[in-house]
Amino acid sequence: MDYYELELLGVRRKLPLIPIDREMAYASFVILGDVELISRAGKELAGRMKEVDYLVTAEAKGIPLSYEMSREMGLKEYVVLRKSVKTYMRDPLCEVVKSITTKESQHLYLDEKDAEKIKGKSVCIVDDVISTGESLKAIEKLVKRAGADVKYKVCMLAEGQAADRDDIIFLEKLPLFQRSGAQGYHPCL
């Protein structure tokens, strides 16, 4: 298996390359359980923003980063968009999203209680990696439908052309990879 060696905030990780199609691959970046990297990234990203009322993220990989950023910023809670309707939810808002890391389209749900919480408030959208921007777009639609004001969009890594965006705060660029015959893959974007 081919790997990409990532260095982020003095931490090194080997990321396996996962094929997107016959020619392209992405480096699989999974922060779940990585306390060292989440702690450093949370502190760094929190320091790059001014005050907001809430952080908003989607299940699941953005949760630990949102927790750490909230802790660093002195926020008492953050909002998590769910990928399925839970029994406690009443009249949730929904958006459909298709990302490169999942085979099927997904749904994101904002519970009515959380929608009321962020109505009229300033929010920061948090994700681990922004690539095509489809997840980010769906999250932004949901929070705007709830009446929140999106002040920031932050992530640890901007993948491929996402690094060219001027509307996100990110820590490092993560390339996409193109197949190069028997040698495996090489960075391309």
Side-chain angles (χ1 to χ4, degrees):
M1 179 179 283
D2 291 300
Y3 289 89
Y4 174 69
E5 186 129 351
L6 172 74
E7 183 169 342
L8 181 62
L9 301 172
V11 177
R12 297 176 82 76
R13 296 291 182 263
K14 284 179 106 173
L15 309 179
L17 298 183
I18 308 298
I20 298 170
D21 56 31
R22 295 175 65 187
E23 296 298 317
M24 300 293 292
Y26 69 93
S28 179
F29 180 68
V30 179
I31 63 169
L32 294 173
D34 194 334
V35 175
E36 178 184 30
L37 193 51
I38 292 166
S39 295
R40 290 186 189 192
K43 183 174 185 171
E44 180 67 26
L45 286 169
R48 293 187 184 192
M49 300 184 315
K50 291 189 167 96
E51 196 171 302
V52 295
D53 298 309
Y54 287 95
L55 301 182
V56 178
T57 194
E59 273 185 326
K61 293 188 287 183
I63 293 173
L65 182 59
S66 295
Y67 171 85
E68 186 62 23
M69 289 177 65
S70 294
R71 195 183 66 71
E72 286 287 336
M73 297 170 73
L75 298 175
K76 293 183 180 185
E77 57 186 335
Y78 56 96
V79 172
V80 178
L81 305 179
R82 304 301 301 263
K83 291 184 178 174
S84 62
V85 175
K86 304 302 178 190
T87 56
Y88 63 80
M89 292 180 166
R90 300 291 177 256
D91 199 25
L93 299 176
C94 176
E95 284 292 331
V96 177
V97 63
K98 175 76 174 123
S99 76
I100 67 169
T101 59
T102 54
K103 291 183 180 183
E104 305 293 325
S105 292
Q106 295 179 336
H107 293 81
L108 292 177
Y109 298 94
L110 176 60
D111 185 25
E112 179 182 42
K113 176 182 64 159
D114 289 331
E116 281 299 314
K117 206 182 287 185
I118 64 173
K119 184 178 182 179
K121 303 292 184 181
S122 64
V123 302
C124 170
I125 298 172
V126 178
D127 207 347
D128 60 334
V129 178
I130 295 175
S131 185
T132 63
E134 291 303 311
S135 297
L136 181 68
K137 190 184 310 178
I139 296 169
E140 190 168 12
K141 282 182 183 179
L142 279 174
V143 298
K144 284 183 175 181
R145 282 175 51 201
D149 180 26
V150 177
K151 292 290 188 190
Y152 301 101
K153 296 172 259 188
V154 304
C155 62
M156 293 171 72
L157 301 172
E159 186 171 53
Q161 294 178 338
D164 298 332
R165 295 175 62 153
D166 61 3
D167 66 328
I168 61 173
I169 297 171
F170 63 94
L171 300 175
E172 194 70 47
K173 180 178 180 174
L174 181 64
L176 289 170
F177 299 84
Q178 186 165 356
R179 185 173 294 284
S180 58
Q183 291 82 20
Y185 293 95
H186 69 276
C188 66
L189 292 174

